[in-house]
Amino acid sequence: MRPLTKLALAGLLAMASSALAAGGDPQRGAQLAMQGDGSGAPCLACHGADGAGNDAAGFPRLAGLDADYLAKQMLDYNAGKRVSPIMQPNIDNFDEQQLRDLAAYYASLPAPASAAPANVSDAQLALGRKLATEGDWDTYIPPCSSCHGPGNRGVGHSFPALAGQHPSYIRAQLQAWQNNQRNNDPNQLMTAIAERLTAQQIDAVAAYLGSLSATAE
Ligand code: HEC
Ligand code: HEC
């Protein structure tokens, strides 16, 4: 790992540990996921009964992601720090405890094996693998795994798992950072990286990450 990344990591972890709050109740969360928040749709309408999401529709997998990460994202939607007119209306009537219950529920579900993207060339996968595991130092792009962990399977509550996440969703998030639609990353760690990625690199890294197993072999 390069010194710069290490430094950013240390600062972020210190920040994140102080922000960690109380946990949620997965059983109450399961109920809320079925019911919805009264005005929006129930979660499973989009994220699926198993929390596996849907690549064609761009709905992220939630199953097996870290609970505090999921809770932070929902709090950020409701605070307007992350913008999605499709997602936010489904949680705007929930309070923080209810969001933590939902997060605990999805974190407790087993992660699906892999998002197995179709129609991806070997060259594209190779480019994606290089970015994910080695980075591109000519354009100051650190390897994704330097933050997202071994196999890009995520680290704690700050660095979400990317392995096995749907390529359409990964692509959309990288574009959201480029277009200033997502601003909720601590220290703008992701903004700085997304800004430097080309459209071709985004397609490749999204396809490669989606093809990885979400669980350690
Ligand atoms: C109408 C479809 C729809 C429904 C219903 C829905 N979501 Fe979502 N959800 C989305 C979409 C689309 C995104 C990605 C939005 C974006 O780009 O930020 C998303 C993103 C999320 C994220 C962020 C995931 C990540 O990895 O950062 C969480 C957490 C989440 N949804 C939880 C829920 C919960 C809990 C419910 C039920 C209370 C729910 N969603 C209902 C469509 C939906
Ligand atoms: C310097 C650390 C760092 C590096 C390197 C890094 N990321 Fe991230 N990434 C983060 C952080 C922190 C978040 C969570 C942001 C938040 O809390 O909203 C994140 C979130 C994401 C998300 C959103 C996942 C979700 O579930 O919503 C995607 C997609 C992503 N990163 C892709 C990448 C890709 C692709 C690379 C490599 C090209 C990469 N990241 C490299 C720190 C990093």
Side-chain angles (χ1 to χ4, degrees):
M1 197 182 290
R2 306 283 161 125
L4 203 121
T5 312
K6 248 190 198 156
L7 203 73
L9 246 171
L12 183 69
L13 290 177
M15 240 173 55
S17 58
S18 63
L20 218 138
D25 177 341
Q27 262 160 13
R28 275 204 309 258
Q31 246 170 24
L32 297 173
M34 304 270 284
Q35 290 164 0
D37 78 339
S39 65
C43 320
L44 51 95
C46 295
H47 295 285
D50 54 359
N54 182 306
D55 188 43
F59 302 142
R61 132 168 110 91
L62 306 177
L65 294 187
D66 179 81
D68 286 312
Y69 176 76
L70 292 174
K72 171 186 180 279
Q73 297 310 309
M74 292 190 275
L75 291 166
D76 286 351
Y77 283 123
N78 281 347
K81 287 195 256 178
R82 183 174 171 184
V83 179
S84 168
I86 305 175
M87 173 54 207
Q88 202 261 340
N90 307 302
I91 51 168
D92 57 351
N93 295 325
F94 285 134
D95 64 24
E96 176 167 349
Q97 185 57 53
Q98 289 173 313
L99 294 178
R100 291 194 180 282
D101 294 343
L102 283 159
Y105 167 61
Y106 281 108
S108 76
L109 297 180
S114 146
N119 305 325
V120 186
S121 71
D122 288 351
Q124 216 179 5
L125 282 182
L127 173 61
R129 176 200 299 270
K130 185 166 183 297
L131 284 168
T133 60
E134 295 166 37
D136 180 358
W137 291 102
D138 293 341
T139 51
Y140 302 101
I141 298 168
C144 316
S145 59
S146 64
C147 289
H148 290 276
N152 282 290
R153 288 189 298 269
V155 181
H157 52 267
S158 300
F159 304 103
L162 304 175
Q165 184 56 276
H166 297 295
S168 66
Y169 173 74
I170 295 176
R171 199 182 311 123
Q173 296 313 300
L174 294 170
Q175 288 164 348
W177 270 302
Q178 286 187 333
N179 303 333
N180 218 22
Q181 285 289 104
R182 185 168 173 177
N183 297 307
N184 65 337
D185 47 327
N187 297 344
Q188 302 204 296
L189 289 176
M190 272 314 297
T191 308
I193 291 163
E195 276 173 358
R196 292 195 287 266
L197 290 170
T198 65
Q200 191 198 13
Q201 287 175 321
I202 288 179
D203 282 345
V205 82
Y208 171 72
L209 291 167
S211 77
L212 296 177
S213 166
T215 49
E217 326 284 282

